[in-house]
Amino acid sequence: MSEFELLKTIKEPSDIKQMPFERLQELCQEIRAAIINRVSKGGGHLGPNLGIVETAVALHYVFDSPKDKIIWDVSHQCYPHKMLTGRAQGFYDDTFFKNISGFTAPEESKHDIFTIGHTSTSVSLAYGLAKARDYQNEKENIIAVIGDGSLSGGEAFEGLDNAGDLKTNFIVVINDNEMSIAENHGGLYGNLQELRKSKGQYADNYFKTLGFDYTYVEDGNDLKTMIETFKKIKDINHPIVVHVHTLKGKGYRPAEQEKEKFHWCQPFDVKSGKILGTTTTEDYGYYIAQYLENRVKTDPKLVVINAATPTALQLKEFRADHPERYIDVGIAEEHAIATASGLAKGGMRPVALFFGGFIQRAYDQLSQDLSMNKSPAVIIIEGTGISGGDITHLGIFDIALMSNIPGLVCLAPSTKDEALRMLDWALEQRDFPVVIRTPWKAPESLKYAPTSPIKLNKSEITHKGEKIAILGLGSFLSLAEKTAELLKTKGIDATIVDPRFTSTVDIELLHGLTKDHNKFIVLEDGCVAGGYGSKVASLLSPYGVKVYSFGASREFTNRVPLKDLYERYNLTPEQIVQKVL
Amino acid sequence: MSEFELLKTIKEPSDIKQMPFERLQELCQEIRAAIINRVSKGGGHLGPNLGIVETAVALHYVFDSPKDKIIWDVSHQCYPHKMLTGRAQGFYDDTFFKNISGFTAPEESKHDIFTIGHTSTSVSLAYGLAKARDYQNEKENIIAVIGDGSLSGGEAFEGLDNAGDLKTNFIVVINDNEMSIAENHGGLYGNLQELRKSKGQYADNYFKTLGFDYTYVEDGNDLKTMIETFKKIKDINHPIVVHVHTLKGKGYRPAEQEKEKFHWCQPFDVKSGKILGTTTTEDYGYYIAQYLENRVKTDPKLVVINAATPTALQLKEFRADHPERYIDVGIAEEHAIATASGLAKGGMRPVALFFGGFIQRAYDQLSQDLSMNKSPAVIIIEGTGISGGDITHLGIFDIALMSNIPGLVCLAPSTKDEALRMLDWALEQRDFPVVIRTPWKAPESLKYAPTSPIKLNKSEITHKGEKIAILGLGSFLSLAEKTAELLKTKGIDATIVDPRFTSTVDIELLHGLTKDHNKFIVLEDGCVAGGYGSKVASLLSPYGVKVYSFGASREFTNRVPLKDLYERYNLTPEQIVQKVL
């Protein structure tokens, strides 16, 4: 591993400050090799990190972290920063991958100020730090590094709008790689393009309109220029935007050429650039994309909306085949929901798709713009459920977030067929907005699959027994079956219920069951707090039956293996039965 | 009432299309008089409506609503629009005030496309309508009217950013009255100022950077200019911003002079401009403002943050006395929360105050930027609880919104003293963010007031009885007492509990009570779905006791009298006792 010779010597950013320029250049190459080493073997964000190597090296060469504070937006481009702050082994040494996360993490290093995983937050967070600095008469530099894709998020605008008004040091580095996660969308990207074309001289300058000083760097992958640029603005006494033009995927040809594919990717063969393993799983995302592909051919009203994540949502084929029915609003979830409401009011049938927790940005829009207005849009949330994922990317809060909003009808399918029936049902009515949440994993086969037509707020009993009723929400209907099987060995023939709706309890059905059931088990693949089980408990408690709610605890977990989480939350059939009997 | 002669003749916007210009000018005066008539007697939004009279008349004179669609941002400036669309009686005739709301309402008129009450949504909603129009090959004009105060909200930026990219008709009217709700803040307002000073010629133009064509109107209260301007751009084939400079409060001298006071106001004496009734109530907002005033004198770390609502939050005195410790971020709730997180991480003690449902904009920031980062900021939500207010301004969803976020410690005080103890406690610790929700109304006096020190996640038994325990969250502790009194007449000495924390159930205390209590009543001044009662039910149900949750239903209500709502939700002591016994 002599190839990572320099990297191995770096424990702190101060270790690079005396390096001659040639060494720094070699260091950039080692960092690139380490990024490719880790991502090709374990997956991760490739393109964003390859593009920002020189920016990161120059930042740490010129500024003095952690006194000077660098905030990495989204933080999926923090790999070079991590390597420069004592965590290089997590990239060059395969056995250390798991010790270092792919996002900034204060518990890993004092150089990471915040845990960040959602986009467009860096400027506002940095603004708070800058105000704190000024109040305490300190003098350090505050630097927000934000990728241009993140500029389309409203929070980034709010941050820039306020920060442009500061009278003290504030540095925003715009990493402009001509891309969002997908291609750039929206008017602002036209402005960035004009600024690039004119080498920063274009008359109407977005950043200047918000009060910022401005400087443009044509080749952000030229280390010398980057160092000189940062040296010039270090300790500047007012807000400045450094607009840095970089090449996403720089230094790895396949990633330079296929920017979207290599934004985040599974392990790949370095030589050929071929993604290893199967790229298409027959999961819910796949089935939903197929459904939309089919439906658009006969439904002239269907429009698909998404917020910059076509790859994760498997919408690239739809985008290619039906570009006129596909709206990518960029990273702008608030706008996406309001747009869906407008389209629905205007007579179209919008389907807006989001990935997991990213919908959190749009609670107010889901409530006011959409549900209060009874706009019949369909919202699909993919990648939900308990997972071993990163703390910032958990998919367990959407039930509490959405199912308590008046007028928003929320469903969780338990099988592929049910998911497709739900889509049909949601798209045929014009009375209310509908949310369908689908889990990460592919549907499992069920012994007792639900078969009845979807009816508003009606659950289905898939197996009728007695004494104990098990409600298995969405993908947890299979866990309900497994629990019922275990109960059978103990002489209890439990009833199994597919609740279908997460937003409303089918009280008629459940009340009927209270006649010959005195225990109700609710299993939900999400957080118990504010979730479906708590609704069931509220409604059934006055009847004198016992309700046992199982699901995730109200906590943020960070890359805890799924199996451990299931055990922690008593989500194995054995634990469930033990708790209840 | 001959003064409203013209207004009485208008049933549809078409009724003004043949009016000679002089009549239109008289109409503007009648509209002004009607606005003043209604607001001086019943309260409401005065300044915004007085300023936009000519814009509204010109819009309806030139465009053809409802074929052409006008979307009013925030919609608190829709009074002139309402008068021009058949609802003038709701303004000139005192007995009709209650029939017409102060916001756009599709159930009132086909000229109101959306129910709108939160800011910054109009452009995105209009964008959806524009896309729907284009898909269906229609040709109508789509017009978003947005006050400049709303431009600071991220959703407005996201909308403009996407709309600037349209290749078809799209008109944004910027009502620039040099004000937000409070004074304008943020870098963008500097740009608007430059544009005003240069009569629209300033080199860096925010709207142009986002792809818009642009035109400036120096005197937006000149009807002739407004009509000419709109005639020129009617049926335009691309997105344009019409930047209209108006005078907030135009035509009523006191409102022109004291813009903030008359933005929204209680009934007032027209002659003197004096607000009628007491302006200061000794409610929670008052006590909190006093607390902050006192604390800032000895706490060098305290910073107060608010998002453009200093009047509603009674912070104007604080702002005047301690401008250096007061940050108004403008209408930008996402940024406000991230800023609070940054300030807390940077060593300060930020207190961010919000009004009721406006905090909804910041769910993701509360979760990711704040709670996940364990930033010890204090968030105060005022004006919560069940109310007879407008559908867009309900304060009943905050418990479900916030109390289910991991790591966010949420409290509801039941007395003034407890509120102040909570503030002390929240500001003394550095481990987690704290939310304190306070109700509209002033604290009531209690027979059994809580007295013990605040301890994390600990409730207090204020009266120990047996059989039935009543948990009265926040302001509903007084309802708990009243219910206990009624139970006493039936021979039951009920236990009364002040839960204090809405985010975590004190299971130790409640479990203890299960020994001699088999019924638990939970009263919460908010929506039951996702709320505190559902947490109690979930946790206690397995113990075989009955939990009865009382609070608001999962529904949007619109100006339903509070007394009716209490009865609808079984929130009178008589109803509660009847349900439980």
Side-chain angles (χ1 to χ4, degrees), chain A residues 27 31 67 92 111-112 128 137 149 157 165 170 220 260 266 298 303 327 331 346 353 369 452 494 523 567 572:
Chain A
L27 180 63
I31 290 173
K67 187 168 110 4
Y92 65 70
H111 297 277
D112 294 4
N137 296 313
F157 163 77
D165 212 21
F170 196 80
E260 206 173 316
Q266 297 285 358
T298 56
V303 193
I327 302 176
I331 298 172
L353 299 97
D369 297 351
S452 67
L523 309 173
E567 274 171 24
T572 66

mmCIF file of all heavy atoms in Angstrom, chain A residues 27 31 67 92 111-112 128 137 149 157 165 170 220 260 266 298 303 327 331 346 353 369 452 494 523 567 572:
data_model
loop_
_atom_site.group_PDB
_atom_site.id
_atom_site.type_symbol
_atom_site.label_atom_id
_atom_site.label_comp_id
_atom_site.label_asym_id
_atom_site.label_seq_id
_atom_site.Cartn_x
_atom_site.Cartn_y
_atom_site.Cartn_z
ATOM 1 N N LEU A 27 -0.439 14.397 -3.093
ATOM 2 C CA LEU A 27 -1.462 14.104 -2.088
ATOM 3 C C LEU A 27 -2.858 14.060 -2.739
ATOM 4 O O LEU A 27 -3.674 13.180 -2.443
ATOM 5 C CB LEU A 27 -1.408 15.171 -0.986
ATOM 6 C CG LEU A 27 -2.416 15.028 0.150
ATOM 7 C CD1 LEU A 27 -2.183 13.735 0.929
ATOM 8 C CD2 LEU A 27 -2.334 16.221 1.097
ATOM 9 N N ILE A 31 -5.416 10.990 -2.569
ATOM 10 C CA ILE A 31 -6.797 11.126 -2.083
ATOM 11 C C ILE A 31 -7.772 10.545 -3.120
ATOM 12 O O ILE A 31 -8.692 9.795 -2.790
ATOM 13 C CB ILE A 31 -7.121 12.609 -1.780
ATOM 14 C CG1 ILE A 31 -6.335 13.074 -0.548
ATOM 15 C CG2 ILE A 31 -8.626 12.804 -1.554
ATOM 16 C CD1 ILE A 31 -6.448 14.560 -0.252
ATOM 17 N N LYS A 67 -10.156 25.814 14.266
ATOM 18 C CA LYS A 67 -10.430 27.193 14.659
ATOM 19 C C LYS A 67 -11.291 27.821 13.565
ATOM 20 O O LYS A 67 -12.400 28.293 13.827
ATOM 21 C CB LYS A 67 -9.125 27.957 14.875
ATOM 22 C CG LYS A 67 -9.293 29.350 15.447
ATOM 23 C CD LYS A 67 -7.970 29.933 15.918
ATOM 24 C CE LYS A 67 -7.404 31.077 15.086
ATOM 25 N NZ LYS A 67 -8.060 31.672 13.979
ATOM 26 N N TYR A 92 -8.240 4.244 2.620
ATOM 27 C CA TYR A 92 -7.237 3.431 1.924
ATOM 28 C C TYR A 92 -7.149 2.023 2.484
ATOM 29 O O TYR A 92 -6.651 1.128 1.838
ATOM 30 C CB TYR A 92 -5.861 4.108 1.883
ATOM 31 C CG TYR A 92 -5.166 4.308 3.233
ATOM 32 C CD1 TYR A 92 -4.660 3.219 3.959
ATOM 33 C CD2 TYR A 92 -4.993 5.582 3.754
ATOM 34 C CE1 TYR A 92 -4.029 3.411 5.179
ATOM 35 C CE2 TYR A 92 -4.358 5.777 4.970
ATOM 36 C CZ TYR A 92 -3.879 4.696 5.680
ATOM 37 O OH TYR A 92 -3.245 4.885 6.887
ATOM 38 N N HIS A 111 -13.065 18.351 13.667
ATOM 39 C CA HIS A 111 -13.114 19.138 12.434
ATOM 40 C C HIS A 111 -14.490 19.059 11.759
ATOM 41 O O HIS A 111 -14.734 19.743 10.785
ATOM 42 C CB HIS A 111 -12.036 18.663 11.454
ATOM 43 C CG HIS A 111 -10.649 18.855 11.979
ATOM 44 N ND1 HIS A 111 -9.975 20.045 11.896
ATOM 45 C CD2 HIS A 111 -9.813 17.997 12.634
ATOM 46 C CE1 HIS A 111 -8.782 19.926 12.448
ATOM 47 N NE2 HIS A 111 -8.659 18.692 12.915
ATOM 48 N N ASP A 112 -15.344 18.183 12.258
ATOM 49 C CA ASP A 112 -16.716 18.095 11.739
ATOM 50 C C ASP A 112 -17.619 18.811 12.734
ATOM 51 O O ASP A 112 -17.793 18.363 13.868
ATOM 52 C CB ASP A 112 -17.165 16.633 11.618
ATOM 53 C CG ASP A 112 -16.366 15.858 10.575
ATOM 54 O OD1 ASP A 112 -15.418 16.430 10.002
ATOM 55 O OD2 ASP A 112 -16.692 14.683 10.346
ATOM 56 N N GLY A 128 -25.265 30.873 11.708
ATOM 57 C CA GLY A 128 -25.382 30.816 13.166
ATOM 58 C C GLY A 128 -24.014 30.845 13.838
ATOM 59 O O GLY A 128 -23.798 31.566 14.818
ATOM 60 N N ASN A 137 -16.790 38.179 19.973
ATOM 61 C CA ASN A 137 -15.594 38.914 19.533
ATOM 62 C C ASN A 137 -14.444 38.010 19.133
ATOM 63 O O ASN A 137 -13.286 38.291 19.421
ATOM 64 C CB ASN A 137 -15.134 39.882 20.630
ATOM 65 C CG ASN A 137 -16.167 40.957 20.888
ATOM 66 O OD1 ASN A 137 -16.683 41.561 19.935
ATOM 67 N ND2 ASN A 137 -16.509 41.159 22.144
ATOM 68 N N GLY A 149 -25.941 21.893 -6.815
ATOM 69 C CA GLY A 149 -27.228 21.202 -6.759
ATOM 70 C C GLY A 149 -28.031 21.625 -5.547
ATOM 71 O O GLY A 149 -29.249 21.754 -5.602
ATOM 72 N N PHE A 157 -31.253 29.323 -0.049
ATOM 73 C CA PHE A 157 -31.585 30.714 -0.380
ATOM 74 C C PHE A 157 -31.780 31.540 0.888
ATOM 75 O O PHE A 157 -31.253 32.652 1.016
ATOM 76 C CB PHE A 157 -32.838 30.798 -1.247
ATOM 77 C CG PHE A 157 -33.427 32.173 -1.254
ATOM 78 C CD1 PHE A 157 -32.856 33.179 -2.010
ATOM 79 C CD2 PHE A 157 -34.516 32.481 -0.441
ATOM 80 C CE1 PHE A 157 -33.360 34.476 -1.977
ATOM 81 C CE2 PHE A 157 -35.028 33.768 -0.399
ATOM 82 C CZ PHE A 157 -34.447 34.768 -1.165
ATOM 83 N N ASP A 165 -26.226 39.887 4.212
ATOM 84 C CA ASP A 165 -26.436 41.107 4.989
ATOM 85 C C ASP A 165 -25.406 41.261 6.118
ATOM 86 O O ASP A 165 -25.392 42.269 6.817
ATOM 87 C CB ASP A 165 -27.850 41.023 5.588
ATOM 88 C CG ASP A 165 -28.502 42.384 5.723
ATOM 89 O OD1 ASP A 165 -28.082 43.316 5.030
ATOM 90 O OD2 ASP A 165 -29.443 42.489 6.534
ATOM 91 N N PHE A 170 -17.426 35.976 6.171
ATOM 92 C CA PHE A 170 -18.303 34.855 5.838
ATOM 93 C C PHE A 170 -17.979 34.415 4.419
ATOM 94 O O PHE A 170 -18.052 35.200 3.477
ATOM 95 C CB PHE A 170 -19.778 35.283 5.939
ATOM 96 C CG PHE A 170 -20.734 34.123 5.980
ATOM 97 C CD1 PHE A 170 -20.943 33.428 7.159
ATOM 98 C CD2 PHE A 170 -21.412 33.720 4.836
ATOM 99 C CE1 PHE A 170 -21.816 32.346 7.207
ATOM 100 C CE2 PHE A 170 -22.282 32.641 4.873
ATOM 101 C CZ PHE A 170 -22.489 31.958 6.058
ATOM 102 N N GLY A 220 -11.404 24.867 -10.921
ATOM 103 C CA GLY A 220 -11.379 24.538 -9.500
ATOM 104 C C GLY A 220 -10.630 23.247 -9.212
ATOM 105 O O GLY A 220 -10.506 22.854 -8.046
ATOM 106 N N GLU A 260 -24.149 11.154 -13.575
ATOM 107 C CA GLU A 260 -25.303 10.784 -12.757
ATOM 108 C C GLU A 260 -25.124 9.380 -12.180
ATOM 109 O O GLU A 260 -25.370 9.152 -11.000
ATOM 110 C CB GLU A 260 -26.566 10.857 -13.624
ATOM 111 C CG GLU A 260 -27.827 11.119 -12.833
ATOM 112 C CD GLU A 260 -29.032 11.358 -13.746
ATOM 113 O OE1 GLU A 260 -28.905 12.092 -14.748
ATOM 114 O OE2 GLU A 260 -30.090 10.790 -13.448
ATOM 115 N N GLN A 266 -23.016 1.779 -6.250
ATOM 116 C CA GLN A 266 -22.660 0.508 -5.633
ATOM 117 C C GLN A 266 -21.212 0.201 -6.002
ATOM 118 O O GLN A 266 -20.633 0.863 -6.850
ATOM 119 C CB GLN A 266 -23.580 -0.595 -6.190
ATOM 120 C CG GLN A 266 -25.064 -0.413 -5.875
ATOM 121 C CD GLN A 266 -25.404 -0.754 -4.438
ATOM 122 O OE1 GLN A 266 -24.533 -1.170 -3.668
ATOM 123 N NE2 GLN A 266 -26.653 -0.543 -4.054
ATOM 124 N N THR A 298 -51.580 5.501 -21.645
ATOM 125 C CA THR A 298 -53.026 5.627 -21.875
ATOM 126 C C THR A 298 -53.659 6.744 -21.053
ATOM 127 O O THR A 298 -54.829 7.048 -21.229
ATOM 128 C CB THR A 298 -53.741 4.306 -21.498
ATOM 129 O OG1 THR A 298 -53.418 3.988 -20.144
ATOM 130 C CG2 THR A 298 -53.309 3.169 -22.402
ATOM 131 N N VAL A 303 -48.647 13.078 -14.805
ATOM 132 C CA VAL A 303 -47.361 13.780 -14.795
ATOM 133 C C VAL A 303 -46.547 13.253 -13.626
ATOM 134 O O VAL A 303 -47.080 13.094 -12.524
ATOM 135 C CB VAL A 303 -47.524 15.300 -14.565
ATOM 136 C CG1 VAL A 303 -46.217 16.021 -14.869
ATOM 137 C CG2 VAL A 303 -48.654 15.868 -15.373
ATOM 138 N N ILE A 327 -41.256 15.971 -14.659
ATOM 139 C CA ILE A 327 -40.779 17.251 -14.135
ATOM 140 C C ILE A 327 -39.798 16.996 -13.002
ATOM 141 O O ILE A 327 -40.161 16.440 -11.968
ATOM 142 C CB ILE A 327 -41.950 18.111 -13.598
ATOM 143 C CG1 ILE A 327 -42.988 18.377 -14.694
ATOM 144 C CG2 ILE A 327 -41.417 19.428 -13.028
ATOM 145 C CD1 ILE A 327 -44.221 19.142 -14.193
ATOM 146 N N ILE A 331 -33.476 19.951 -6.287
ATOM 147 C CA ILE A 331 -33.632 19.715 -4.853
ATOM 148 C C ILE A 331 -34.517 20.830 -4.312
ATOM 149 O O ILE A 331 -34.043 21.925 -4.014
ATOM 150 C CB ILE A 331 -32.263 19.682 -4.160
ATOM 151 C CG1 ILE A 331 -31.430 18.523 -4.725
ATOM 152 C CG2 ILE A 331 -32.431 19.533 -2.643
ATOM 153 C CD1 ILE A 331 -29.998 18.506 -4.246
ATOM 154 N N GLY A 346 -55.295 22.033 -11.455
ATOM 155 C CA GLY A 346 -55.400 22.400 -12.861
ATOM 156 C C GLY A 346 -55.906 21.268 -13.737
ATOM 157 O O GLY A 346 -55.940 21.391 -14.954
ATOM 158 N N LEU A 353 -42.747 11.666 -6.510
ATOM 159 C CA LEU A 353 -42.002 10.609 -5.819
ATOM 160 C C LEU A 353 -40.828 11.199 -5.047
ATOM 161 O O LEU A 353 -40.119 12.075 -5.549
ATOM 162 C CB LEU A 353 -41.492 9.578 -6.830
ATOM 163 C CG LEU A 353 -42.564 8.851 -7.639
ATOM 164 C CD1 LEU A 353 -42.731 9.527 -8.992
ATOM 165 C CD2 LEU A 353 -42.230 7.382 -7.823
ATOM 166 N N ASP A 369 -50.514 23.530 1.432
ATOM 167 C CA ASP A 369 -50.648 23.650 -0.018
ATOM 168 C C ASP A 369 -51.433 22.479 -0.608
ATOM 169 O O ASP A 369 -52.150 22.637 -1.592
ATOM 170 C CB ASP A 369 -49.262 23.712 -0.697
ATOM 171 C CG ASP A 369 -48.465 24.943 -0.276
ATOM 172 O OD1 ASP A 369 -49.034 25.815 0.391
ATOM 173 O OD2 ASP A 369 -47.272 25.023 -0.601
ATOM 174 N N SER A 452 -58.773 -8.051 -1.324
ATOM 175 C CA SER A 452 -59.986 -7.258 -1.553
ATOM 176 C C SER A 452 -59.653 -5.912 -2.197
ATOM 177 O O SER A 452 -58.537 -5.422 -2.082
ATOM 178 C CB SER A 452 -60.711 -7.036 -0.225
ATOM 179 O OG SER A 452 -59.934 -6.211 0.608
ATOM 180 N N ALA A 494 -54.123 -16.941 15.802
ATOM 181 C CA ALA A 494 -54.273 -15.477 15.824
ATOM 182 C C ALA A 494 -54.873 -14.963 14.520
ATOM 183 O O ALA A 494 -54.656 -15.534 13.454
ATOM 184 C CB ALA A 494 -52.929 -14.808 16.067
ATOM 185 N N LEU A 523 -47.717 -4.060 14.476
ATOM 186 C CA LEU A 523 -46.332 -4.079 14.013
ATOM 187 C C LEU A 523 -46.174 -3.041 12.914
ATOM 188 O O LEU A 523 -46.844 -3.110 11.890
ATOM 189 C CB LEU A 523 -45.988 -5.469 13.459
ATOM 190 C CG LEU A 523 -46.316 -6.658 14.370
ATOM 191 C CD1 LEU A 523 -46.078 -7.977 13.636
ATOM 192 C CD2 LEU A 523 -45.464 -6.592 15.636
ATOM 193 N N GLU A 567 -33.762 -6.654 16.974
ATOM 194 C CA GLU A 567 -33.697 -7.225 18.325
ATOM 195 C C GLU A 567 -33.902 -6.153 19.392
ATOM 196 O O GLU A 567 -34.618 -6.350 20.366
ATOM 197 C CB GLU A 567 -32.372 -7.950 18.535
ATOM 198 C CG GLU A 567 -32.456 -9.385 18.025
ATOM 199 C CD GLU A 567 -31.105 -10.088 18.021
ATOM 200 O OE1 GLU A 567 -30.214 -9.674 18.792
ATOM 201 O OE2 GLU A 567 -30.966 -11.039 17.223
ATOM 202 N N THR A 572 -38.608 -9.527 16.641
ATOM 203 C CA THR A 572 -38.576 -10.902 16.151
ATOM 204 C C THR A 572 -39.833 -11.598 16.660
ATOM 205 O O THR A 572 -40.367 -11.227 17.718
ATOM 206 C CB THR A 572 -37.336 -11.661 16.678
ATOM 207 O OG1 THR A 572 -37.468 -11.806 18.108
ATOM 208 C CG2 THR A 572 -36.053 -10.905 16.378
#
